[in-house]
Amino acid sequence: MENHTDNKKISVVIPSINGLPIIKECLESIYRQKNSDIAEVIVVDCTDERTRKVIRETFKEVILIYPQKKKPIPELRAIGIKEAKCDILALIEDHCLVPEDWFTEILKAHESDYVAIGGAVENACQDKVLDWATFFCEYSAFIQPAPSGIINILPGNNVSYKKNRIQDILDDAIDKGVWEGFIHQKLIERGYELFSTP
């Protein structure tokens, strides 16, 4: 496999557990970015061959990885992080759709010295009360108007890191296969501040 990352600035890692059409919609939102050429996109898929066939045929630039056995999201994410080559590491999940200026805002935010930067998360599944209940349980701290500034917690599905600055913490998280809360707690213990931008 050849990877041309000389002009790439952002590695986007997407664990894929929901299959079609979810991952296709996610990737379409990524490639609607005005500057989508600055990112390498890594999908770690544990769904089915039909999903992978659509990804291969529709999104030829995607680095597609598929473990032999089903794995939880943290382990899928860890596999993608190991593959990532760019200085900025951005994590989302397959059910997420990003706005057209997402890469631009990530780059702008990383002009600062903060190593972990997260943004807002809004609910697109609004049909059922259960959809809202699930959303509020996980993401109520990140709905608009999202805070701007130093914060104690960041979402796991709209977060980016200066990879080279925290590689050892990421390596530790990869080895343990843990959720983002582990990474963020380790960063705080090291004296890093988590930054939120709407």
Side-chain angles (χ1 to χ4, degrees):
M1 172 175 24
E2 288 184 27
N3 288 331
H4 302 287
T5 56
D6 293 346
N7 63 333
K8 309 289 186 185
K9 300 182 185 308
I10 301 171
S11 294
V12 181
V13 173
I14 311 169
S16 170
I17 62 168
N18 292 299
L20 297 171
I22 305 290
I23 186 63
K24 184 172 184 285
E25 293 167 354
C26 173
L27 290 170
E28 284 170 348
S29 76
I30 285 174
Y31 286 105
R32 273 196 295 270
Q33 302 285 306
K34 296 180 180 80
N35 51 353
S36 63
D37 60 325
I38 66 166
E40 66 167 3
V41 179
I42 302 164
V43 173
V44 188
D45 178 74
C46 69
T47 61
D48 53 45
E49 185 53 38
R50 179 173 163 259
T51 298
R52 294 190 278 272
K53 183 173 187 290
V54 169
I55 293 172
R56 281 190 209 98
E57 292 175 355
T58 312
F59 307 99
K60 293 180 172 40
E61 309 89 344
V62 165
I63 298 168
L64 180 60
I65 303 168
Y66 39 99
Q68 297 302 311
K69 296 181 181 176
K70 286 203 178 280
K71 294 180 180 291
I73 288 173
E75 290 184 29
L76 297 175
R77 193 180 280 160
I79 292 167
I81 289 171
K82 281 185 179 177
E83 184 69 29
K85 304 288 190 296
C86 300
D87 293 338
I88 298 173
L89 177 66
L91 304 180
I92 61 172
E93 292 172 12
D94 60 354
H95 57 88
C96 297
L97 306 176
V98 298
E100 290 183 6
D101 62 347
W102 191 56
F103 290 157
T104 301
E105 291 300 320
I106 288 174
L107 290 177
K108 191 189 307 179
H110 277 278
E111 290 173 3
S112 71
D113 200 42
Y114 296 107
V115 300
I117 300 170
V121 178
E122 297 181 28
N123 188 15
C125 295
Q126 303 177 357
D127 296 339
K128 301 175 187 163
V129 172
L130 181 60
D131 294 332
W132 278 108
T134 304
F135 177 79
F136 281 127
C137 283
E138 269 197 82
Y139 303 113
S140 59
F142 312 113
I143 56 177
Q144 293 285 25
S148 181
I150 297 165
I151 194 169
N152 291 325
I153 186 172
L154 291 173
N157 63 354
N158 186 12
V159 65
S160 59
Y161 306 100
K162 288 181 175 67
K163 186 170 174 280
N164 59 341
R165 295 269 301 276
I166 62 165
Q167 187 65 59
D168 60 330
I169 293 175
L170 288 173
D171 288 342
D172 196 17
I174 287 167
D175 292 339
K176 289 183 170 65
V178 295
W179 291 91
E180 64 280 349
F182 173 90
I183 297 172
H184 298 163
Q185 186 57 43
K186 289 289 183 188
L187 289 171
I188 291 169
E189 288 171 8
R190 295 257 185 110
Y192 290 114
E193 294 171 317
L194 310 181
F195 190 79
S196 170
T197 172

